Amino acid sequence: MTARVRSTNLAHPKPDPGGRRERPTGIDKRPVDGVELFTPGPRYGDGAGVVGDLVGDSQHHGGAQKAVYAFAREELDRWEDELQRGLSDGMFGENLTTEGIELERLLINQRLRVGEDVVVEVSIPRTPCATFSGHLREKAWVRRFTERGRCGVYLRVAAPGTVRPGDEIEVLEPPGHDVDMRTAFAAAMGDNEAAKRVVAAGCLPALYHERMVQRLVARP
């Protein structure tokens, strides 16, 4: 199957199901005809990289490293089977629902061309939180999602533009290391051996690299 965008999704605001914040959350995303990607500011709170999207938790989300979130339809289908319920495109909070590409095997900083003009870069792992758990309404959801090890990918926007359903995804020249998203996710969720690989590769943005270094110093 050709790798492609199956669905483009924008936030349908609702109260935070995790009960942590008064502001609405943007985790519930619904399909739209297309999304316009751009590069937001560098910090949390600088907003999404998708025009019209909502970032409810400005302390931990938004900014250039979390500009766009992508998740695979194949994984949604797998979770449908396990949870015995329907999961629509956008249900996991993704802006781009993909088909035909194993996102977690992409390398950190891997560039992807989407459609004719848009270029994005694989950035950092998505770490599950109380809002995600409350949205899904599944017991022990954070643990189950972590154990599955397939977190989708956050993307930076290298060349902005419009993405539409059906746009092909082309994997461009790989970066000079072998750390994939699945390894980076394991590292982020507490696997120290994976963290050592990630730190040795020096592939994460500076903030996330330093956090991981400090964790390994505290808990070698």
Side-chain angles (χ1 to χ4, degrees):
M1 177 187 292
T2 300
R4 69 183 186 96
V5 175
R6 170 189 165 96
S7 176
T8 54
N9 314 302
L10 284 179
H12 186 81
K14 71 176 187 178
D16 183 359
R20 299 185 302 166
R21 293 173 181 82
E22 294 181 1
R23 292 186 61 186
T25 176
I27 195 169
D28 182 12
K29 300 198 191 308
R30 310 284 177 88
V32 294
D33 291 339
V35 291
E36 183 179 350
L37 307 189
F38 70 100
T39 304
R43 298 176 299 276
Y44 295 150
D46 283 339
V50 183
V51 173
D53 203 24
L54 170 69
V55 174
D57 179 3
S58 59
Q59 291 183 318
H60 302 97
H61 292 283
Q65 305 301 335
K66 294 184 173 183
V68 184
Y69 179 53
F71 198 80
R73 182 63 240 181
E74 291 87 347
E75 274 299 295
L76 289 171
D77 290 343
R78 184 263 174 197
W79 281 113
E80 279 191 338
D81 289 342
E82 178 169 329
L83 302 177
Q84 293 295 293
R85 55 184 279 201
L87 297 171
S88 60
D89 292 352
M91 185 67 178
F92 277 23
E94 75 272 15
N95 303 108
L96 307 178
T97 310
T98 65
E99 286 185 324
I101 183 168
E102 192 173 359
L103 297 174
E104 293 78 15
R105 291 305 182 191
L106 294 172
L107 302 179
I108 301 298
N109 302 323
Q110 175 70 62
R111 284 195 162 201
L112 309 171
R113 188 184 309 281
V114 185
E116 294 184 3
D117 303 317
V118 173
V119 177
V120 293
E121 297 176 351
V122 175
S123 178
I124 58 174
R126 184 249 189 96
T127 52
C129 63
T131 297
F132 189 24
S133 181
H135 176 57
L136 266 292
R137 305 186 310 278
E138 295 289 344
K139 291 183 179 179
W141 177 249
V142 170
R143 175 184 59 77
R144 293 167 72 184
F145 186 79
T146 299
E147 289 176 350
R148 174 64 180 159
R150 296 180 181 269
C151 63
V153 293
Y154 273 121
L155 301 164
R156 294 184 288 267
V157 180
T162 301
V163 175
R164 297 180 177 86
D167 280 352
E168 292 189 9
I169 301 171
E170 177 187 1
V171 180
L172 303 178
E173 191 71 18
H177 63 81
D178 64 352
V179 175
D180 62 17
M181 180 55 74
R182 190 161 191 175
T183 301
F185 179 56
M189 300 308 292
D191 183 328
N192 275 6
E193 291 307 308
K196 291 173 185 177
R197 281 188 60 196
V198 173
V199 167
C203 56
L204 290 180
L207 172 65
Y208 300 90
H209 177 83
E210 289 304 318
R211 283 179 180 171
M212 203 161 287
V213 169
Q214 291 171 14
R215 193 189 86 200
L216 288 173
V217 169
R219 296 187 284 117

